[in-house]
Amino acid sequence: MSMLNETPHINDHKLVYHHQIQGVFDRIAYSLVRFARVFADLFFRERYGHRAVTLETVAAIPGMVGGLWQHLKALRYIRDDHGWIKTLLDEAENERIHLMVYAHIAKPNLIERLLIVIVQIIFYWFYFFIYLFSPRTAHRTVGYLEEEAIHSYTEYLAQVDANPRKNVPAPEIAIEYWKLNSDARLREVIIATREDEINHRDVNHTFADKLR
């Protein structure tokens, strides 16, 4: 049975939507994300649970960095932030929960935990300076990163559907966070995660559009 038929609230357009590149800054943002995907594909291949752990380590950084810069900007100009700060901090919190959920599922080993630390340090400073010089490029980068996340979780879902043994019970933290049924499985967790990523994709592309 098609996963799309079982999740009618997510249509094909939502899953495959791609923001068309418009100008040099969009191209830079897209190229950065595609470059990062090459390494993810080489390192993780089809180990989607472990890929999710590293992905969420990266994804949890932009919201916090963006929220900080928007907070400082609002202070500097003594103006309302129009809800940007809360939206970005909520995004960071949501992605942190994703990390905790998939860490329970994938159980990263020592080498993978070391990779998490290295990736976090590098990406934090990298994104910090992107946001400093071009907030639009920063948000567009996150938008494209979320597009890759949606694709990755869709492939993860297909893998679970093809091999029911991989459809393990959902961790308690996931059941509590998404208010899932007590007998929920990994499949429901992936679907809930993907819905979050769809929202983050749309929000960041919208923010980038507003910063033209």
Side-chain angles (χ1 to χ4, degrees):
M1 181 179 293
S2 167
M3 61 187 169
L4 293 177
N5 289 337
E6 293 186 36
T7 55
H9 52 295
I10 302 179
N11 57 35
D12 290 285
H13 175 72
K14 279 288 186 182
L15 286 177
V16 303
Y17 170 78
H18 166 64
H19 178 85
Q20 295 301 314
I21 296 172
Q22 300 173 3
V24 65
F25 292 106
D26 284 8
R27 187 165 299 281
I28 290 172
Y30 186 67
S31 297
L32 289 172
V33 172
R34 296 298 295 180
F35 179 73
R37 181 179 173 176
V38 171
F39 289 97
D41 288 344
L42 287 173
F43 190 84
F44 296 108
R45 299 186 184 276
E46 294 185 356
R47 297 164 61 234
Y48 291 108
H50 294 80
R51 180 193 289 255
V53 170
T54 304
L55 173 65
E56 299 301 348
T57 300
V58 170
I61 293 173
M64 188 62 67
V65 173
L68 169 63
W69 278 115
Q70 289 298 324
H71 175 67
L72 294 175
K73 185 176 181 179
L75 295 177
R76 207 160 52 241
Y77 293 102
I78 315 178
R79 63 157 179 78
D80 183 34
D81 72 302
H82 303 293
W84 283 42
I85 297 171
K86 184 178 187 307
T87 298
L88 291 168
L89 295 183
D90 285 349
E91 176 185 308
E93 173 69 5
N94 177 254
E95 300 286 17
R96 185 181 65 83
I97 296 296
H98 290 180
L99 171 62
M100 295 172 65
V101 167
Y102 288 99
H104 275 82
I105 294 169
K107 297 179 173 53
N109 58 36
L110 183 61
I111 294 176
E112 289 165 337
R113 288 180 179 274
L114 178 61
L115 177 65
I116 288 171
V117 173
I118 294 172
V119 169
Q120 184 183 87
I121 293 172
I122 293 173
F123 188 76
Y124 172 81
W125 287 109
F126 176 73
Y127 192 79
F128 183 91
F129 284 108
I130 288 181
Y131 210 102
L132 172 63
F133 293 108
S134 179
R136 175 189 168 189
T137 304
H139 284 293
R140 190 69 77 206
T141 300
V142 177
Y144 287 134
L145 179 65
E146 299 294 1
E147 290 181 18
E148 291 293 341
I150 294 163
H151 175 74
S152 180
Y153 282 116
T154 298
E155 291 189 334
Y156 193 5
L157 186 59
Q159 185 184 72
V160 170
D161 286 344
N163 186 352
R165 288 182 300 177
K166 293 183 179 290
N167 195 24
V168 298
E172 190 61 33
I173 184 175
I175 292 173
E176 292 179 0
Y177 183 72
W178 282 296
K179 305 294 189 296
L180 303 175
N181 294 331
S182 59
D183 61 347
R185 315 289 290 189
L186 175 57
R187 191 178 197 283
E188 287 89 341
V189 174
I190 296 172
I191 291 171
T193 305
R194 190 175 61 179
E195 289 187 13
D196 289 345
E197 306 297 9
I198 288 172
N199 179 61
H200 298 327
R201 175 200 65 193
D202 295 344
V203 166
N204 278 279
H205 279 319
T206 299
F207 281 179
D209 289 340
K210 290 182 177 180
L211 290 167
R212 288 183 181 279

